Every structure is written in structure tokens, then in C-alpha cells.
């Protein structure tokens, strides 16, 4: 047993030395001011042996020590180094001392790091989906990102289950998917500006997917920019379209509470019919996160040439039918799994109605306090005038003092009443929070609450 443990320790140390050696070999090629980036890339690498580090460094840190030597100039300029200014080793302090270093890229944005991490993870875990198996054969970041995008469309059941995404529809040109987790939204909505794909914050995702499912429509042909017809110049901005399918004509709230109310006061058939195309508000968002009319999106779906509008109509009707069927199934399953808590819902609605009335009373009191404050300020003005002016105005002074006393007493009375209302509002609010907390799992949202973990990396 002792020999086995010693062997394991030796192997661990050897592996550690090999990993450190690989990092050191990469660092030797680059000036020391870029080493922080290299350390960051080490954290990004999903392999256990820094397998992708050299490629990442070449892709994101193009300027090696050899590059500086090859591109040195006979004389110094704003962008060029003289050959005698280029150090031979990466740790030479002259790298940082040279003011020309300010023109060298030595950092990577957080968003780039997060997308790179996700893409590398997909490449590492799904090699069978890629035509190019060796990452070193990708000549640029764009070439790699394009390959990842194509590979992501080859959804297996295992991947759909692990990532949390449903493939709703697919034909030769389009694939329609519905992400059920923040991670899936970030992965399959990559290379867009949609807020629901924002890494590090899942609030937008949860709010929008609480109002209705968002389907990601991907054009597998990835149309290129064209100059004729003119509108096809923007075609690359429509190769991905986010379609927000919002039942009940867009009246559902992001926290799912309104859907619960609708379910409680409707039959199953009435509730599910809220997802009919005719009862639904549909929003379309292009890659740039621009909200576009259906007719505009249809032009790109139909493609250029005669019969464009007819082709677009067929595609859109097909997509709407699929989205309607998917949404109605989710809502039907939700309705079937609800317990009978009508009494609790009624109590909640009563409390909310009471809170609204208290808010109205508090608003009226604040208005009275504001008006009383104006009155008191005016009376103070008159008091000041009486003190500075000569004459016998005892009767007037007595009247002013009397009004000031009454105003202050009334002001105090209103403040006390406001304080009571605020206390009562707080108590009602606590009761509402307790009930809603208990109903939390019963609210309808169109994502997987159990599996949804914010993608913070």
C-alpha cells in the first residue's frame, strides 16, 4: 500500500511539472507584461493538461518576442520598435519601460474570455461534431467560432438534457430551439447582443422567460451580406432571431404570478387557449438586439427573389404552429400539476387589494402634509413681519399664533396617521411575501427553475 501511494505521489508531481513546463514554454515566447493574460487563458483551458494554451496564446496574443524582432524598424516610430530596443528574453524589464508598450494588446475583455471558455468546453467535450479535430488547424478566432456555431446545431439528446435546451423544430435551413437554462441561453445565443445571453447576470433571462418562452431561430445557411437587393445588405444580422412568444397578449409578468392567477380563475381549456397564436403577442429580435416587425424579419426568412412574401408566410406560419404547440403543452402540464390552493390565492388577492388601498391613503396624507407645510411656512412669514413692523397688532398676532398652533397640531396628527399606515403596509407586505414565498414553486415560468444556474463564468 505504501509503495502504491508513493507511486501516485510521484505521478502527480510529474504531471504537475509537465503542466508547469508547458505554461513556462508558452510564456518564454511572449513579453512578460502579457503573462497575466496567459495565466487567465490557463484558467479557461477545459483540458487537464493545458492542451489548448499554445493555440489560445497565438490567437489572442499575436505579438511574440520573435514578432517584435521580425517587425522591428531601422528607426523608432509611434508603432515600430528599433531592433536594438527589442529584448531577447521575456522577463527583461525593458518591455515595461519602453513607452511603445502602450500600443501592444496585453488584455482580453471579460466577455471574450467567457465566450472562449464556453466554446472551448464545447469543442473539448464534443469532438465528434467537428470536422477539424485538432484546434491548431484553426487559423483564426472567427474560423474557430464559426466551427463551434455549426457544431452547436448538431444537438444530441444527451447534450440537450445536460445543457437544458429543447430542439423544437429543424429542417434543411432552420433550427428552432428553446433554452430552458441561463447556460443554454448564453451558449446558443452566442454572437448576439440579446440581454438574455448576458453572462454573469441571469435577471434578464428569468424576467423575459417568465413572460413567455423565447425561441432561438438559427439560419444554418448563415446568409452573407449582399448588395442586391439592397435590403440583403443587413442579412447577417438575421441569421439568428430571438422570437418571444408571449401568451395572454403579452400580459404575463416576469415572476409568473399573473399566470398563476389566470390558472386559478380559468378552466384548463381556457387557460391553455391563452397560448393560441391569436391570443399571443410575438416579438422578434435580430442579432443586434433590435426589435423588428414581423414583415421585416419575413423578408430575410423568405430570401430574395420572386415569391419572397409567399415563402416567408409559409415559414412563419410553420414556426408559429410549432411555438404554439410547444407553449400550450408547457401550460397544460403546469395546470395539471397545480394543487387546489384557491383559498390561499383569494387571501393573497385580498391582501394586495388592502395594500393598494393603504398606498392610496398614504398618498393623500402626503399631499395634505405638503399643503400644511406651505401653510406653516406662510404663517412663519407673517410672524416675522409682525416682529419687525411697528404698531399695535395684538389681535392679528393672536390670530397668527392660533393658526400656527392648529396647523402644527394637525400636521402632527397627519404624521402619526402616516406612520400607522406605513406600519400596517409593512405588516401586510410581510404577509404577502410569506404567501408568495409558499406559492413560488407554483408560479409559471418558461425555464427550468431547478436546473437554471446563472452562468457567471
Amino acid at each position: 500500500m505504501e509503495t502504491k501511494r508513493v507511486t501516485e505521489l510521484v505521478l502527480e508531481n510529474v504531471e504537475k511539472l509537465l503542466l508547469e513546463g508547458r505554461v513556462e514554454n508558452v510564456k518564454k515566447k511572449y513579453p512578460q507584461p502579457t503573462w497575466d493574460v496567459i495565466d487567465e487563458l490557463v484558467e479557461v483551458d477545459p483540458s487537464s493538461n493545458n492542451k489548448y494554451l499554445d493555440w489560445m496564446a497565438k490567437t489572442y496574443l499575436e505579438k511574440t518576442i520573435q514578432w517584435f524582432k521580425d517587425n522591428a524598424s531601422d528607426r523608432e516610430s509611434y508603432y515600430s520598435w528599433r531592433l536594438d530596443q527589442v529584448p531577447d528574453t521575456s522577463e527583461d524589464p525593458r518591455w515595461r519601460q519602453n513607452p511603445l508598450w502602450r500600443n501592444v494588446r496585453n488584455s482580453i475583455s471579460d466577455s471574450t474570455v467567457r465566450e472562449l471558455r464556453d466554446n472551448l468546453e464545447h469543442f473539448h467535450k464534443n469532438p465528434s461534431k467537428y470536422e477539424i479535430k485538432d484546434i491548431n488547424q484553426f487559423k483564426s478566432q472567427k474560423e474557430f467560432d464559426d466551427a463551434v456555431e455549426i457544431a452547436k446545431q448538431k444537438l444530441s439528446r444527451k447534450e440537450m438534457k445536460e445543457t437544458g435546451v429543447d430542439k423544437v423544430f429543424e429542417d434543411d435551413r432552420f433550427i428552432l430551439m428553446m433554452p430552458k437554462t441561463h447556460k443554454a441561453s448564453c451558449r446558443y445565443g452566442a454572437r448576439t447582443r440579446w440581454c438574455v445571453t448576458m453572462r454573469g447576470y441571469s435577471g434578464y433571462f428569468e424576467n423575459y422567460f417568465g413572460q413567455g418562452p423565447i425561441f432561438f431561430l438559427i439560419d444554418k445557411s448563415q446568409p452573407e451580406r449582399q448588395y442586391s437587393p439592397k435590403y440583403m445588405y443587413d442579412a447577417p444580422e438575421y441569421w439568428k432571431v430571438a422570437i418571444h412568444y408571449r401568451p395572454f397578449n403579452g400580459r404575463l409578468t416576469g415572476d409568473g404570478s399573473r399566470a398563476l392567477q389566470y390558472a386559478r380563475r380559468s378552466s384548463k381549456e381556457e387557460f391553455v387557449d391563452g397560448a393560441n397564436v391569436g391570443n399571443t403577442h410575438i416579438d422578434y429580435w435580430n442579432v443586434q438586439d433590435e426589435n423588428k416587425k414581423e414583415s421585416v424579419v419575413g423578408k430575410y426568412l423568405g430570401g430574395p427573389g420572386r415569391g419572397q412574401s409567399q415563402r416567408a408566410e409559409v415559414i412563419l406560419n410553420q414556426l408559429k404552429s410549432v411555438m404554439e404547440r410547444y407553449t400550450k403543452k408547457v401550460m397544460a402540464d403546469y395546470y395539471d400539476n397545480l394543487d387546489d390552493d384557491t383559498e390561499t390565492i383569494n387571501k393573497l388577492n385580498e391582501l394586495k387589494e388592502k395594500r393598494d388601498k393603504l398606498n392610496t391613503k398614504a398618498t393623500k396624507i402626503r399631499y395634505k402634509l405638503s399643503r400644511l407645510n406651505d401653510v406653516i411656512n406662510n404663517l412663519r412669514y407673517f410672524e416675522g413681519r409682525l416682529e419687525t413692523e411697528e404698531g399695535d397688532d395684538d389681535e392679528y398676532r393672536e390670530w397668527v399664533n392660533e393658526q400656527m398652533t392648529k396647523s402644527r397640531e394637525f400636521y402632527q396628527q397627519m404624521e402619526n396617521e402616516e406612520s400607522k399606515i406605513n406600519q400596517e403596509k409593512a405588516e401586510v407586505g410581510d404577509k404577502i411575501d410569506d404567501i408568495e414565498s409558499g406559492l413560488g414553486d407554483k408560479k409559471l415560468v418558461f425555464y427550468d427553475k431547478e436546473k437554471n444556474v446563472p452562468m457567471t463564468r
Side-chain angles (χ1 to χ4, degrees):
M1 291 294 292
E2 191 68 28
T3 305
K4 182 179 179 181
R5 179 58 184 156
V6 170
T7 303
E8 289 176 352
L9 289 172
V10 170
L11 290 174
E12 286 178 10
N13 287 327
V14 169
E15 184 178 0
K16 185 177 180 181
L17 288 171
L18 288 173
L19 293 177
E20 291 175 352
R22 183 170 281 178
V23 175
E24 288 175 3
N25 288 338
V26 171
K27 286 184 173 180
K28 286 178 183 179
K29 301 177 185 178
Y30 295 89
Q32 191 178 35
T34 64
W35 284 9
D36 287 344
V37 176
I38 293 174
D39 289 336
E40 194 169 9
L41 295 177
V42 169
E43 295 298 319
V44 169
D45 196 322
S47 69
S48 59
N49 57 3
N50 294 320
K51 178 180 179 180
Y52 306 109
L53 180 59
D54 191 50
W55 177 83
M56 286 190 288
K58 285 191 294 186
T59 303
Y60 292 92
L61 296 173
E62 302 168 356
K63 294 177 177 157
T64 61
I65 296 175
Q66 189 59 47
W67 182 93
F68 283 100
K69 290 181 179 294
D70 294 342
N71 291 274
S73 176
D74 294 335
R75 57 180 182 174
E76 183 181 332
S77 68
Y78 184 76
Y79 292 104
S80 301
W81 299 45
R82 292 198 315 270
L83 185 58
D84 62 341
Q85 291 179 318
V86 180
D88 292 322
T89 61
S90 57
E91 298 182 61
D92 195 306
R94 287 180 297 167
W95 287 112
R96 292 191 184 275
Q97 294 168 2
N98 194 320
L100 289 174
W101 183 254
R102 65 180 178 270
N103 302 320
V104 180
R105 179 185 183 185
N106 60 349
S107 65
I108 304 178
S109 69
D110 290 341
S111 59
T112 299
V113 170
R114 288 167 179 160
E115 187 170 340
L116 173 63
R117 186 194 303 271
D118 188 51
N119 286 348
L120 275 177
E121 183 181 300
H122 191 272
F123 179 81
H124 183 69
K125 290 183 176 180
N126 303 279
S128 61
K129 296 183 179 182
Y130 291 82
E131 292 184 11
I132 296 178
K133 312 296 184 185
D134 181 3
I135 197 168
N136 294 299
Q137 293 182 26
F138 292 108
K139 305 303 180 185
S140 66
Q141 175 191 347
K142 184 181 183 306
E143 188 178 332
F144 175 64
D145 289 346
D146 288 344
V148 173
E149 197 61 50
I150 293 171
K152 285 177 182 177
Q153 296 165 17
K154 303 173 183 178
L155 284 169
S156 64
R157 290 186 179 181
K158 179 182 178 182
E159 187 179 1
M160 285 191 285
K161 184 177 180 180
E162 289 179 352
T163 311
V165 63
D166 285 336
K167 182 167 68 174
V168 183
F169 168 81
E170 184 174 17
D171 62 13
D172 293 339
R173 182 183 168 193
F174 296 107
I175 180 170
L176 184 72
M177 56 182 68
M178 216 298 286
K180 298 187 293 183
T181 64
H182 186 231
K183 179 177 181 179
S185 182
C186 293
R187 171 167 290 183
Y188 300 105
R191 303 171 82 177
T192 72
R193 294 185 177 181
W194 302 333
C195 61
V196 295
T197 67
M198 182 186 296
R199 286 172 166 83
Y201 178 68
S202 63
Y204 290 121
F205 170 84
E206 290 160 6
N207 179 56
Y208 280 103
F209 276 80
Q211 300 172 42
I214 301 182
F215 299 89
F216 292 178
L217 179 66
I218 301 175
D219 187 342
K220 294 187 285 187
S221 67
Q222 296 193 24
E224 297 182 355
R225 196 180 302 279
Q226 299 178 32
Y227 293 90
S228 179
K230 187 176 180 180
Y231 69 85
M232 287 300 290
Y233 182 81
D234 293 328
E237 295 180 4
Y238 292 85
W239 74 280
K240 278 187 180 181
V241 177
I243 308 175
H244 197 184
Y245 194 88
R246 301 165 61 194
F248 296 101
N249 291 310
R251 292 195 298 270
L252 296 184
T253 52
D255 64 356
S257 58
R258 185 165 292 172
L260 179 58
Q261 293 176 14
Y262 287 165
R264 286 307 180 205
R265 68 190 190 202
S266 309
S267 67
K268 179 179 178 180
E269 183 179 0
E270 290 171 335
F271 180 69
V272 173
D273 282 348
N276 286 343
V277 171
N279 298 328
T280 299
H281 182 86
I282 304 177
D283 286 317
Y284 299 87
W285 304 85
N286 68 6
V287 168
Q288 298 299 327
D289 201 27
E290 297 169 338
N291 189 206
K292 295 295 184 179
K293 293 181 179 179
E294 183 177 291
S295 58
V296 175
V297 175
K299 287 194 302 183
Y300 297 96
L301 299 185
R306 183 176 298 177
Q308 175 204 73
S309 58
Q310 290 84 355
R311 290 193 298 273
E313 183 178 2
V314 170
I315 294 169
L316 285 168
N317 286 339
Q318 188 174 20
L319 293 174
K320 287 178 183 178
S321 175
V322 170
M323 293 187 293
E324 178 188 68
R325 189 162 57 249
Y326 180 94
T327 308
K328 292 178 80 169
K329 183 179 185 309
V330 172
M331 292 173 62
D333 291 344
Y334 166 77
Y335 192 96
D336 289 339
N337 290 322
L338 281 177
D339 298 325
D340 186 10
D341 48 16
T342 306
E343 186 176 337
T344 304
I345 297 297
N346 290 338
K347 179 64 175 176
L348 178 63
N349 290 334
E350 288 175 8
L351 287 170
K352 287 185 175 181
E353 186 177 346
K354 184 176 181 179
R355 183 178 61 184
D356 291 341
K357 290 179 178 178
L358 289 171
N359 283 330
T360 301
K361 288 178 67 175
T363 301
K364 290 179 178 179
I365 288 176
R366 283 195 296 271
Y367 175 74
K368 288 180 180 179
L369 287 172
S370 176
R371 297 299 300 272
L372 276 170
N373 192 55
D374 292 339
V375 171
I376 292 171
N377 286 334
N378 286 330
L379 289 171
R380 283 174 181 159
Y381 170 76
F382 291 131
E383 282 181 332
R385 290 287 300 273
L386 288 170
E387 291 176 0
T388 57
E389 293 180 356
E390 297 180 359
D392 187 9
D393 292 318
D394 290 341
E395 185 178 345
Y396 184 42
R397 183 176 287 104
E398 183 180 346
W399 180 86
V400 170
N401 290 336
E402 183 182 342
Q403 300 307 313
M404 179 66 82
T405 300
K406 289 181 179 179
S407 297
R408 284 174 172 163
E409 288 176 353
F410 191 40
Y411 193 92
Q412 185 62 50
Q413 180 184 337
M414 289 294 100
E415 279 193 325
N416 292 339
E417 190 171 344
E418 182 186 31
S419 178
K420 289 179 182 179
I421 289 174
N422 286 337
Q423 184 177 352
E424 191 174 359
K425 277 171 56 181
E427 292 172 357
V428 171
D430 289 341
K431 292 178 181 178
I432 290 173
D433 290 342
D434 289 342
I435 294 176
E436 288 190 331
S437 176
L439 293 173
D441 292 337
K442 299 179 182 180
K443 294 177 180 178
L444 172 63
V445 291
F446 293 87
Y447 61 88
D448 192 327
K449 286 187 284 188
E450 293 183 3
K451 293 184 179 179
N452 182 49
V453 177
M455 191 171 184
T456 57
R457 298 186 306 169

